[in-house]
Amino acid sequence: MVIIQNYINGEFVNPHGQIFIDNINPAKGEIYSLVPDSEHQDVEMAVQAAQKAFGSWSQTPISIRSDYLRKLANKIIENLDQLALAESIDNGKPLSLCKILDIPRASANFKFFADTLIDFHGQSYMTDHNQNQLALNYTTYGPLGVVACISPWNLPLYSLTWKIAPALAAGNTVVAKPSELTPMTAFLLSKIVSEVGLPPGVLNIIHGKGSSVGTPLVTHSQIKAVSFTGSTLTGRSISTAVAADFKKLSLEMGGKNANIIFNDANFEQALKTTIRSSFLNQGQICLCGSRIFIQSGIYQKFKSALVEETKKLQIGNPLLEGTDQGALVSKDHLNKIISYIELAKSEGGNILCGGRQENLTGENINGYFFQPTLIEGLSNQCRTNQEEIFGPVATLISFDTEEEVIEMANATKYGLSASIWTSDVNRAHKLPKKIDSGIVWVNTWMLRDLRTPFGGIKESGLGREGGVEALSFFSEVKNICVGLV
Ligand code: NAD
């Protein structure tokens, strides 16, 4: 059984209290590894190690920091098979998905910031307000110090590296905390970090629960910024906990995204992508379109085709080729999804397909599998359509006019992303401005260019990740004004 350790100051160490949490393989429903149940003493050690390393790392030339990031990117690709297998076992998601999405993206995150760092520059202005005095204004970007990076379980290595890479690139040292439910690839990353020879203390990875590691980490007086991805509930509690200290805060949180399909949409493309945007990663992606709005002219036809295609999705052992739907991440999460199906029924929902736990046989007999589910007949205001379910469950709602669908799409406390399917070029450009979300895709979904700002509005997010936005977040901006006499 693999015993995961913390990575502090370049060394692998057990948690201070020598206490571990069971790490469950969700496709088998059995314990297969142990995760440190770290506490504030471990956080303290990690923060002190990061603080000690900060002086030298922050002075390290950009080209060398960039080289380190590129080495990490390359090593992740060299270890793609091992990392993909580990991610699949730890999370329950299909191995095939880990190979094409999770692990390549983790590598791309390091490579992207290795490149972007080189080009990252400030503004400069020659100021001539007064005839007799010219001045040169220019901005510089300096690192903040020790920063905290906290990530969720749904895209474990992908989302952790999306934070670590810009934080290190900008010259900060990092204490990272992956989800206690999916710690394995973060542990393997710490081995890669050690192999690559990143100086001790520059990146520290601490494992454990939100209450015993997350809270002492974000509230630590030496932590200058917190980059968090997870639920809105946790984001709110972090925001409250650090408010008095004026720490920089980046929050990527929940969503209840609208997928809007007009009569004039390319039917086949919209259908194919809606299957992905509803059920990829068992629907456990913050960007999934869990509310599908279909214009009345094609509602019946689209519904029938969607149900037919959904039923074809292969639920099974995540390690097997051909599996489309793996296991949900935990028993608690499975129970949460089951309770939402009961809620949907009590709210008058009609289950079009799925709606049940899937019982596999053999080694997966105790796994946490759930059938991809489509529901219709619910109002947009009901709890099923307002609360984030974060599983393989999507609802279908018919609409007639553009105004009607905009109102329904926006009538939620969330505002992460939306998709629009139309062949009307005017609508394609005009409608996104009226949708209250940080990202709008038109005739596509989850097409990511790492240079673009990523994040949500309302209760989905605070700030933006991606591109120079992330480098700016992890930097202190200074304006220097030089009078020219
Ligand atoms: P979560 O909020 O329960 O946990 C996220 C991380 O925060 C974990 O590492 C957890 O241990 C830690 N944590 C928990 N309590 C903490 C505290 N008090 N202080 C500091 N850290 C604490 O979320 P989850 O269940 O792991 O992830 C699912 C959620 O993440 C969903 O709501 C999903 O929408 C969201 N998500 C959002 C995005 C995005 O980009 N907007 C991306 C992925 C996931």
mmCIF file of all heavy atoms in Angstrom, residues 427-462:
data_model
loop_
_atom_site.group_PDB
_atom_site.id
_atom_site.type_symbol
_atom_site.label_atom_id
_atom_site.label_comp_id
_atom_site.label_asym_id
_atom_site.label_seq_id
_atom_site.Cartn_x
_atom_site.Cartn_y
_atom_site.Cartn_z
ATOM 1 N N ARG A 427 -26.322 36.789 -33.730
ATOM 2 C CA ARG A 427 -26.637 36.279 -32.399
ATOM 3 C C ARG A 427 -25.363 35.750 -31.722
ATOM 4 O O ARG A 427 -25.149 35.959 -30.521
ATOM 5 C CB ARG A 427 -27.665 35.159 -32.540
ATOM 6 C CG ARG A 427 -28.098 34.603 -31.211
ATOM 7 C CD ARG A 427 -28.947 33.372 -31.428
ATOM 8 N NE ARG A 427 -30.310 33.675 -31.716
ATOM 9 C CZ ARG A 427 -31.095 32.929 -32.505
ATOM 10 N NH1 ARG A 427 -30.620 31.858 -33.102
ATOM 11 N NH2 ARG A 427 -32.346 33.264 -32.690
ATOM 12 N N ALA A 428 -24.516 35.105 -32.506
ATOM 13 C CA ALA A 428 -23.284 34.531 -31.957
ATOM 14 C C ALA A 428 -22.416 35.589 -31.292
ATOM 15 O O ALA A 428 -21.741 35.310 -30.305
ATOM 16 C CB ALA A 428 -22.502 33.830 -33.065
ATOM 17 N N HIS A 429 -22.469 36.816 -31.830
ATOM 18 C CA HIS A 429 -21.646 37.873 -31.240
ATOM 19 C C HIS A 429 -22.388 38.729 -30.232
ATOM 20 O O HIS A 429 -21.784 39.261 -29.304
ATOM 21 C CB HIS A 429 -21.070 38.771 -32.348
ATOM 22 C CG HIS A 429 -20.015 38.060 -33.150
ATOM 23 N ND1 HIS A 429 -18.751 37.866 -32.682
ATOM 24 C CD2 HIS A 429 -20.072 37.458 -34.363
ATOM 25 C CE1 HIS A 429 -18.051 37.186 -33.572
ATOM 26 N NE2 HIS A 429 -18.826 36.925 -34.602
ATOM 27 N N LYS A 430 -23.691 38.880 -30.428
ATOM 28 C CA LYS A 430 -24.446 39.790 -29.549
ATOM 29 C C LYS A 430 -24.872 39.117 -28.239
ATOM 30 O O LYS A 430 -24.832 39.727 -27.177
ATOM 31 C CB LYS A 430 -25.698 40.288 -30.277
ATOM 32 C CG LYS A 430 -25.417 41.381 -31.284
ATOM 33 C CD LYS A 430 -26.730 41.751 -31.925
ATOM 34 C CE LYS A 430 -26.685 43.074 -32.630
ATOM 35 N NZ LYS A 430 -27.948 43.326 -33.337
ATOM 36 N N LEU A 431 -25.305 37.881 -28.342
ATOM 37 C CA LEU A 431 -25.871 37.211 -27.166
ATOM 38 C C LEU A 431 -24.864 37.034 -26.012
ATOM 39 O O LEU A 431 -25.228 37.233 -24.851
ATOM 40 C CB LEU A 431 -26.488 35.866 -27.588
ATOM 41 C CG LEU A 431 -27.350 35.164 -26.551
ATOM 42 C CD1 LEU A 431 -28.461 36.075 -26.058
ATOM 43 C CD2 LEU A 431 -27.943 33.887 -27.129
ATOM 44 N N PRO A 432 -23.609 36.661 -26.287
ATOM 45 C CA PRO A 432 -22.677 36.451 -25.163
ATOM 46 C C PRO A 432 -22.589 37.645 -24.221
ATOM 47 O O PRO A 432 -22.434 37.471 -23.015
ATOM 48 C CB PRO A 432 -21.334 36.205 -25.867
ATOM 49 C CG PRO A 432 -21.711 35.616 -27.178
ATOM 50 C CD PRO A 432 -22.989 36.315 -27.574
ATOM 51 N N LYS A 433 -22.724 38.859 -24.759
ATOM 52 C CA LYS A 433 -22.628 40.055 -23.894
ATOM 53 C C LYS A 433 -23.758 40.091 -22.870
ATOM 54 O O LYS A 433 -23.639 40.722 -21.828
ATOM 55 C CB LYS A 433 -22.688 41.321 -24.754
ATOM 56 C CG LYS A 433 -21.489 41.496 -25.667
ATOM 57 C CD LYS A 433 -21.380 42.959 -26.114
ATOM 58 C CE LYS A 433 -20.302 43.135 -27.159
ATOM 59 N NZ LYS A 433 -20.736 42.807 -28.523
ATOM 60 N N LYS A 434 -24.871 39.427 -23.203
ATOM 61 C CA LYS A 434 -26.030 39.483 -22.293
ATOM 62 C C LYS A 434 -26.038 38.342 -21.279
ATOM 63 O O LYS A 434 -26.924 38.247 -20.443
ATOM 64 C CB LYS A 434 -27.318 39.426 -23.125
ATOM 65 C CG LYS A 434 -27.468 40.614 -24.047
ATOM 66 C CD LYS A 434 -28.749 40.503 -24.841
ATOM 67 C CE LYS A 434 -28.848 41.630 -25.851
ATOM 68 N NZ LYS A 434 -29.861 41.389 -26.861
ATOM 69 N N ILE A 435 -25.098 37.455 -21.392
ATOM 70 C CA ILE A 435 -25.054 36.300 -20.475
ATOM 71 C C ILE A 435 -24.130 36.636 -19.296
ATOM 72 O O ILE A 435 -22.975 37.040 -19.496
ATOM 73 C CB ILE A 435 -24.536 35.038 -21.206
ATOM 74 C CG1 ILE A 435 -25.423 34.680 -22.393
ATOM 75 C CG2 ILE A 435 -24.382 33.864 -20.250
ATOM 76 C CD1 ILE A 435 -26.747 34.047 -22.057
ATOM 77 N N ASP A 436 -24.643 36.449 -18.095
ATOM 78 C CA ASP A 436 -23.861 36.771 -16.893
ATOM 79 C C ASP A 436 -22.928 35.617 -16.540
ATOM 80 O O ASP A 436 -23.203 34.831 -15.625
ATOM 81 C CB ASP A 436 -24.797 37.028 -15.697
ATOM 82 C CG ASP A 436 -25.709 38.216 -15.924
ATOM 83 O OD1 ASP A 436 -25.381 39.059 -16.784
ATOM 84 O OD2 ASP A 436 -26.738 38.295 -15.241
ATOM 85 N N SER A 437 -21.828 35.502 -17.253
ATOM 86 C CA SER A 437 -20.836 34.490 -16.869
ATOM 87 C C SER A 437 -19.464 34.933 -17.372
ATOM 88 O O SER A 437 -19.366 35.774 -18.272
ATOM 89 C CB SER A 437 -21.203 33.110 -17.435
ATOM 90 O OG SER A 437 -21.108 33.105 -18.829
ATOM 91 N N GLY A 438 -18.439 34.372 -16.759
ATOM 92 C CA GLY A 438 -17.070 34.778 -17.098
ATOM 93 C C GLY A 438 -16.592 34.225 -18.423
ATOM 94 O O GLY A 438 -15.658 34.756 -19.037
ATOM 95 N N ILE A 439 -17.189 33.131 -18.870
ATOM 96 C CA ILE A 439 -16.772 32.490 -20.124
ATOM 97 C C ILE A 439 -18.035 32.148 -20.917
ATOM 98 O O ILE A 439 -18.981 31.582 -20.352
ATOM 99 C CB ILE A 439 -16.017 31.167 -19.840
ATOM 100 C CG1 ILE A 439 -14.823 31.401 -18.911
ATOM 101 C CG2 ILE A 439 -15.563 30.478 -21.133
ATOM 102 C CD1 ILE A 439 -14.390 30.169 -18.153
ATOM 103 N N VAL A 440 -18.041 32.476 -22.200
ATOM 104 C CA VAL A 440 -19.145 32.047 -23.069
ATOM 105 C C VAL A 440 -18.543 31.366 -24.294
ATOM 106 O O VAL A 440 -17.692 31.937 -24.975
ATOM 107 C CB VAL A 440 -20.029 33.237 -23.524
ATOM 108 C CG1 VAL A 440 -21.156 32.744 -24.435
ATOM 109 C CG2 VAL A 440 -20.606 33.985 -22.329
ATOM 110 N N TRP A 441 -18.955 30.142 -24.522
ATOM 111 C CA TRP A 441 -18.533 29.443 -25.737
ATOM 112 C C TRP A 441 -19.670 29.494 -26.747
ATOM 113 O O TRP A 441 -20.840 29.302 -26.380
ATOM 114 C CB TRP A 441 -18.220 27.978 -25.428
ATOM 115 C CG TRP A 441 -16.864 27.779 -24.832
ATOM 116 C CD1 TRP A 441 -15.663 27.960 -25.438
ATOM 117 C CD2 TRP A 441 -16.560 27.361 -23.480
ATOM 118 N NE1 TRP A 441 -14.625 27.675 -24.559
ATOM 119 C CE2 TRP A 441 -15.155 27.308 -23.364
ATOM 120 C CE3 TRP A 441 -17.330 27.017 -22.376
ATOM 121 C CZ2 TRP A 441 -14.508 26.931 -22.185
ATOM 122 C CZ3 TRP A 441 -16.703 26.651 -21.206
ATOM 123 C CH2 TRP A 441 -15.304 26.610 -21.117
ATOM 124 N N VAL A 442 -19.334 29.733 -28.001
ATOM 125 C CA VAL A 442 -20.336 29.708 -29.065
ATOM 126 C C VAL A 442 -19.947 28.603 -30.038
ATOM 127 O O VAL A 442 -18.831 28.593 -30.567
ATOM 128 C CB VAL A 442 -20.415 31.070 -29.801
ATOM 129 C CG1 VAL A 442 -21.464 31.020 -30.905
ATOM 130 C CG2 VAL A 442 -20.734 32.190 -28.820
ATOM 131 N N ASN A 443 -20.863 27.671 -30.222
ATOM 132 C CA ASN A 443 -20.667 26.524 -31.126
ATOM 133 C C ASN A 443 -19.444 25.684 -30.757
ATOM 134 O O ASN A 443 -18.805 25.077 -31.631
ATOM 135 C CB ASN A 443 -20.582 26.991 -32.584
ATOM 136 C CG ASN A 443 -21.890 27.634 -33.026
ATOM 137 O OD1 ASN A 443 -22.944 27.306 -32.496
ATOM 138 N ND2 ASN A 443 -21.814 28.561 -33.956
ATOM 139 N N THR A 444 -19.130 25.661 -29.488
ATOM 140 C CA THR A 444 -18.058 24.795 -28.987
ATOM 141 C C THR A 444 -18.216 24.725 -27.466
ATOM 142 O O THR A 444 -19.097 25.377 -26.890
ATOM 143 C CB THR A 444 -16.669 25.331 -29.396
ATOM 144 O OG1 THR A 444 -15.671 24.405 -28.984
ATOM 145 C CG2 THR A 444 -16.376 26.690 -28.766
ATOM 146 N N TRP A 445 -17.356 23.941 -26.837
ATOM 147 C CA TRP A 445 -17.374 23.868 -25.368
ATOM 148 C C TRP A 445 -15.993 23.462 -24.873
ATOM 149 O O TRP A 445 -15.343 22.606 -25.477
ATOM 150 C CB TRP A 445 -18.409 22.827 -24.879
ATOM 151 C CG TRP A 445 -18.383 22.643 -23.381
ATOM 152 C CD1 TRP A 445 -18.834 23.513 -22.445
ATOM 153 C CD2 TRP A 445 -17.869 21.506 -22.654
ATOM 154 N NE1 TRP A 445 -18.631 23.000 -21.178
ATOM 155 C CE2 TRP A 445 -18.041 21.762 -21.282
ATOM 156 C CE3 TRP A 445 -17.281 20.295 -23.032
ATOM 157 C CZ2 TRP A 445 -17.645 20.864 -20.286
ATOM 158 C CZ3 TRP A 445 -16.888 19.401 -22.041
ATOM 159 C CH2 TRP A 445 -17.080 19.689 -20.683
ATOM 160 N N MET A 446 -15.556 24.086 -23.823
ATOM 161 C CA MET A 446 -14.300 23.767 -23.145
ATOM 162 C C MET A 446 -13.105 23.809 -24.091
ATOM 163 O O MET A 446 -12.157 23.050 -23.916
ATOM 164 C CB MET A 446 -14.374 22.398 -22.439
ATOM 165 C CG MET A 446 -13.555 22.386 -21.145
ATOM 166 S SD MET A 446 -13.746 20.841 -20.285
ATOM 167 C CE MET A 446 -12.203 20.732 -19.408
ATOM 168 N N LEU A 447 -13.196 24.676 -25.072
ATOM 169 C CA LEU A 447 -12.046 24.890 -25.940
ATOM 170 C C LEU A 447 -11.192 25.936 -25.234
ATOM 171 O O LEU A 447 -11.618 27.089 -25.101
ATOM 172 C CB LEU A 447 -12.518 25.389 -27.300
ATOM 173 C CG LEU A 447 -11.506 25.337 -28.445
ATOM 174 C CD1 LEU A 447 -12.242 25.409 -29.776
ATOM 175 C CD2 LEU A 447 -10.458 26.409 -28.379
ATOM 176 N N ARG A 448 -10.049 25.519 -24.744
ATOM 177 C CA ARG A 448 -9.262 26.403 -23.891
ATOM 178 C C ARG A 448 -7.990 26.854 -24.595
ATOM 179 O O ARG A 448 -7.269 26.050 -25.170
ATOM 180 C CB ARG A 448 -8.910 25.684 -22.580
ATOM 181 C CG ARG A 448 -10.094 25.391 -21.699
ATOM 182 C CD ARG A 448 -10.561 26.612 -20.898
ATOM 183 N NE ARG A 448 -9.510 27.076 -20.009
ATOM 184 C CZ ARG A 448 -8.966 28.294 -20.069
ATOM 185 N NH1 ARG A 448 -9.389 29.184 -20.937
ATOM 186 N NH2 ARG A 448 -7.991 28.635 -19.260
ATOM 187 N N ASP A 449 -7.765 28.163 -24.526
ATOM 188 C CA ASP A 449 -6.501 28.738 -24.947
ATOM 189 C C ASP A 449 -5.920 29.320 -23.666
ATOM 190 O O ASP A 449 -6.540 30.189 -23.038
ATOM 191 C CB ASP A 449 -6.780 29.832 -25.989
ATOM 192 C CG ASP A 449 -5.507 30.522 -26.466
ATOM 193 O OD1 ASP A 449 -4.550 30.622 -25.670
ATOM 194 O OD2 ASP A 449 -5.479 30.977 -27.618
ATOM 195 N N LEU A 450 -4.765 28.837 -23.238
ATOM 196 C CA LEU A 450 -4.272 29.189 -21.906
ATOM 197 C C LEU A 450 -3.924 30.670 -21.771
ATOM 198 O O LEU A 450 -3.725 31.161 -20.670
ATOM 199 C CB LEU A 450 -3.075 28.316 -21.533
ATOM 200 C CG LEU A 450 -3.323 26.804 -21.572
ATOM 201 C CD1 LEU A 450 -2.156 26.050 -20.945
ATOM 202 C CD2 LEU A 450 -4.622 26.415 -20.883
ATOM 203 N N ARG A 451 -3.902 31.393 -22.893
ATOM 204 C CA ARG A 451 -3.642 32.835 -22.822
ATOM 205 C C ARG A 451 -4.866 33.620 -22.367
ATOM 206 O O ARG A 451 -4.756 34.779 -21.997
ATOM 207 C CB ARG A 451 -3.205 33.357 -24.202
ATOM 208 C CG ARG A 451 -1.864 32.827 -24.644
ATOM 209 C CD ARG A 451 -1.606 33.166 -26.088
ATOM 210 N NE ARG A 451 -2.583 32.539 -26.985
ATOM 211 C CZ ARG A 451 -2.527 32.589 -28.311
ATOM 212 N NH1 ARG A 451 -1.544 33.249 -28.900
ATOM 213 N NH2 ARG A 451 -3.438 31.995 -29.049
ATOM 214 N N THR A 452 -6.051 33.003 -22.447
ATOM 215 C CA THR A 452 -7.278 33.768 -22.179
ATOM 216 C C THR A 452 -7.627 33.765 -20.691
ATOM 217 O O THR A 452 -7.299 32.821 -19.973
ATOM 218 C CB THR A 452 -8.465 33.178 -22.971
ATOM 219 O OG1 THR A 452 -8.655 31.817 -22.538
ATOM 220 C CG2 THR A 452 -8.190 33.191 -24.463
ATOM 221 N N PRO A 453 -8.326 34.830 -20.231
ATOM 222 C CA PRO A 453 -8.729 34.873 -18.818
ATOM 223 C C PRO A 453 -9.751 33.778 -18.528
ATOM 224 O O PRO A 453 -10.663 33.558 -19.328
ATOM 225 C CB PRO A 453 -9.373 36.251 -18.661
ATOM 226 C CG PRO A 453 -9.145 36.992 -19.909
ATOM 227 C CD PRO A 453 -8.764 36.030 -20.975
ATOM 228 N N PHE A 454 -9.596 33.143 -17.379
ATOM 229 C CA PHE A 454 -10.488 32.051 -16.996
ATOM 230 C C PHE A 454 -11.061 32.334 -15.616
ATOM 231 O O PHE A 454 -10.306 32.555 -14.667
ATOM 232 C CB PHE A 454 -9.708 30.728 -16.961
ATOM 233 C CG PHE A 454 -10.543 29.567 -16.491
ATOM 234 C CD1 PHE A 454 -11.224 28.786 -17.401
ATOM 235 C CD2 PHE A 454 -10.664 29.270 -15.140
ATOM 236 C CE1 PHE A 454 -12.025 27.729 -16.971
ATOM 237 C CE2 PHE A 454 -11.455 28.219 -14.704
ATOM 238 C CZ PHE A 454 -12.133 27.450 -15.623
ATOM 239 N N GLY A 455 -12.388 32.324 -15.506
ATOM 240 C CA GLY A 455 -12.977 32.498 -14.179
ATOM 241 C C GLY A 455 -14.430 32.878 -14.267
ATOM 242 O O GLY A 455 -14.972 33.063 -15.354
ATOM 243 N N GLY A 456 -15.059 32.997 -13.100
ATOM 244 C CA GLY A 456 -16.487 33.237 -13.074
ATOM 245 C C GLY A 456 -16.858 34.537 -12.405
ATOM 246 O O GLY A 456 -16.010 35.211 -11.808
ATOM 247 N N ILE A 457 -18.151 34.873 -12.517
ATOM 248 C CA ILE A 457 -18.668 36.049 -11.823
ATOM 249 C C ILE A 457 -19.695 35.579 -10.800
ATOM 250 O O ILE A 457 -19.922 34.389 -10.642
ATOM 251 C CB ILE A 457 -19.256 37.092 -12.799
ATOM 252 C CG1 ILE A 457 -20.471 36.518 -13.526
ATOM 253 C CG2 ILE A 457 -18.223 37.536 -13.815
ATOM 254 C CD1 ILE A 457 -21.222 37.568 -14.343
ATOM 255 N N LYS A 458 -20.318 36.492 -10.118
ATOM 256 C CA LYS A 458 -21.279 36.211 -9.042
ATOM 257 C C LYS A 458 -20.650 35.184 -8.072
ATOM 258 O O LYS A 458 -19.481 35.319 -7.725
ATOM 259 C CB LYS A 458 -22.619 35.749 -9.635
ATOM 260 C CG LYS A 458 -23.260 36.820 -10.529
ATOM 261 C CD LYS A 458 -24.739 36.566 -10.782
ATOM 262 C CE LYS A 458 -24.977 35.633 -11.929
ATOM 263 N NZ LYS A 458 -26.382 35.451 -12.292
ATOM 264 N N GLU A 459 -21.363 34.148 -7.704
ATOM 265 C CA GLU A 459 -20.813 33.228 -6.693
ATOM 266 C C GLU A 459 -19.923 32.139 -7.313
ATOM 267 O O GLU A 459 -19.591 31.152 -6.664
ATOM 268 C CB GLU A 459 -21.941 32.613 -5.869
ATOM 269 C CG GLU A 459 -22.659 33.668 -5.067
ATOM 270 C CD GLU A 459 -23.536 33.139 -3.951
ATOM 271 O OE1 GLU A 459 -23.417 31.956 -3.611
ATOM 272 O OE2 GLU A 459 -24.337 33.923 -3.433
ATOM 273 N N SER A 460 -19.551 32.325 -8.578
ATOM 274 C CA SER A 460 -18.649 31.356 -9.219
ATOM 275 C C SER A 460 -17.192 31.763 -9.127
ATOM 276 O O SER A 460 -16.314 30.930 -9.361
ATOM 277 C CB SER A 460 -19.013 31.185 -10.701
ATOM 278 O OG SER A 460 -20.191 30.455 -10.830
ATOM 279 N N GLY A 461 -16.926 33.016 -8.859
ATOM 280 C CA GLY A 461 -15.503 33.345 -8.831
ATOM 281 C C GLY A 461 -15.178 34.778 -8.499
ATOM 282 O O GLY A 461 -16.015 35.673 -8.579
ATOM 283 N N LEU A 462 -13.928 34.923 -8.132
ATOM 284 C CA LEU A 462 -13.366 36.240 -7.826
ATOM 285 C C LEU A 462 -12.000 36.262 -8.496
ATOM 286 O O LEU A 462 -11.150 35.437 -8.192
ATOM 287 C CB LEU A 462 -13.214 36.372 -6.313
ATOM 288 C CG LEU A 462 -12.737 37.702 -5.782
ATOM 289 C CD1 LEU A 462 -13.823 38.768 -5.926
ATOM 290 C CD2 LEU A 462 -12.344 37.563 -4.312
#
